[in-house]
Amino acid sequence: MKAVRYHRYGDSDVLVQEETERPAPGTGQVLVKVNGTSFNPVDAAIRAGYVQQVFPLHFPHVPGIDVAGTIAELGEGVESWSVGAAVVAFLPMNATGAAAEYVLAPAQALAAAPKTVELADAAALPAVGLTAWQALFEYTDVKAGQRVLVNGAGGAVGGYAVQLAHQAGAHVTATASARSADRVRSYGADQIVDYTAAPVAQAAGGQFDVVLNLATTSPEETVDLVGLVRDGGVLLSTTTPAPEDPARGVRTVSVFVRSDADQLAGLVARVDAGTLRVHVAERVTLAELPAVHARSDSGTLPGKTVITV
């Protein structure tokens, strides 16, 4: 089968498309015929070796933590799924990934794929959708009437976060550039802050019960975001760790996503109900994945990229 792999840590040029053996599912696993995977920034961090202490790899490694496809084979003990079922999953971070024609997936990580979007495009949902859900409803519990700031709303996680916070009844302020402002507003953002025009801390207007930081921020910018949190509120960050402010009862949390098939199924249900939109900025082929990594390294990716297989 075709797969994109790398044999050592390094820049995007370590990625090569090559032929490899089709794997066979073990106990509790299924073999998925891949329709699509997607690029996540953590893929580049893993490839570069920045997180090898947390997510060590066995080389050669196939990237791609999101998968959408159909079940081709069942491993021993798998009784809840059948061959041919369309599924999505968030794969283990350092397991062999989905940038290939076939991938092994733990059966317990699978959810039925949404029926209202193209199967390959469904790969744009698992990792980032779960990140948004867990940030808003596990690390904190966003409620109706609260004020929520999503910093980095134009990105993949941010789009889902704005939609989910709006549906929870929160008043949502979102930072976005002019390029993504209309899309973010259509997700239910009550206020758009153009972070390219003025510092977020100056332009946000008031304080917030919850600040979700999805953008790469300097230590000084991060402290400014903490200052936007109301007494007793929380700042959640998927990027730069933030200092707490115990004098005001402000809690800060670093968000780390985990696979959860039940939560993923809930997100899929929202997609099929028409209340959660899946946004794909571009679609590329498997052979183009090295170029996607290169553009990510240079900061020129347009948004969520789906790799069709």
Side-chain angles (χ1 to χ4, degrees), residues 28-248:
Q29 293 181 316
V30 302
L31 181 70
V32 177
K33 186 180 188 301
V34 179
N35 282 66
T37 184
S38 74
F39 176 81
N40 292 281
V42 71
D43 294 327
I46 292 172
R47 183 212 73 225
Y50 296 148
V51 291
Q52 59 184 290
Q53 299 302 317
V54 182
F55 303 120
L57 300 180
H58 294 288
F59 293 114
H61 179 70
V62 179
I65 57 175
D66 288 314
V67 64
T70 55
I71 295 177
E73 293 181 36
L74 302 175
E76 185 178 350
V78 178
E79 299 178 351
S80 55
W81 294 100
S82 59
V83 171
V87 295
V88 289
F90 173 31
L91 303 173
M93 287 282 193
N94 55 349
T96 299
E101 292 180 303
Y102 292 88
V103 66
L104 296 176
Q108 63 184 12
L110 300 175
K115 298 178 176 65
T116 54
V117 298
E118 293 291 330
L119 184 53
D121 286 355
L125 177 65
V128 290
L130 286 170
T131 301
W133 178 270
Q134 290 168 15
L136 294 174
F137 303 112
E138 280 194 358
Y139 287 89
T140 189
D141 187 13
V142 170
K143 294 180 174 62
Q146 289 187 319
R147 284 173 51 84
V148 175
L149 170 66
V150 179
N151 188 38
V157 177
Y160 291 119
V162 170
Q163 293 180 75
L164 292 169
H166 170 72
Q167 290 166 26
H171 180 282
V172 183
T173 298
T175 71
S177 66
R179 182 181 65 186
S180 57
D182 287 344
R183 174 171 56 86
V184 172
R185 188 176 290 107
S186 74
Y187 290 158
D190 298 283
Q191 177 186 358
I192 302 292
V193 172
D194 185 352
Y195 65 88
T196 67
V200 174
Q202 294 180 14
Q207 290 191 307
F208 301 87
D209 300 284
V210 177
V211 173
L212 175 57
N213 182 33
L214 307 169
T216 301
T217 49
S218 68
E220 293 77 16
E221 290 169 330
T222 308
V223 169
D224 288 342
L225 289 176
V226 174
L228 292 177
V229 181
R230 285 177 174 167
D231 292 2
V234 60
L235 183 142
L236 311 157
S237 181
T238 61
T239 58
T240 313
E244 294 190 342
D245 187 347
R248 297 197 300 115

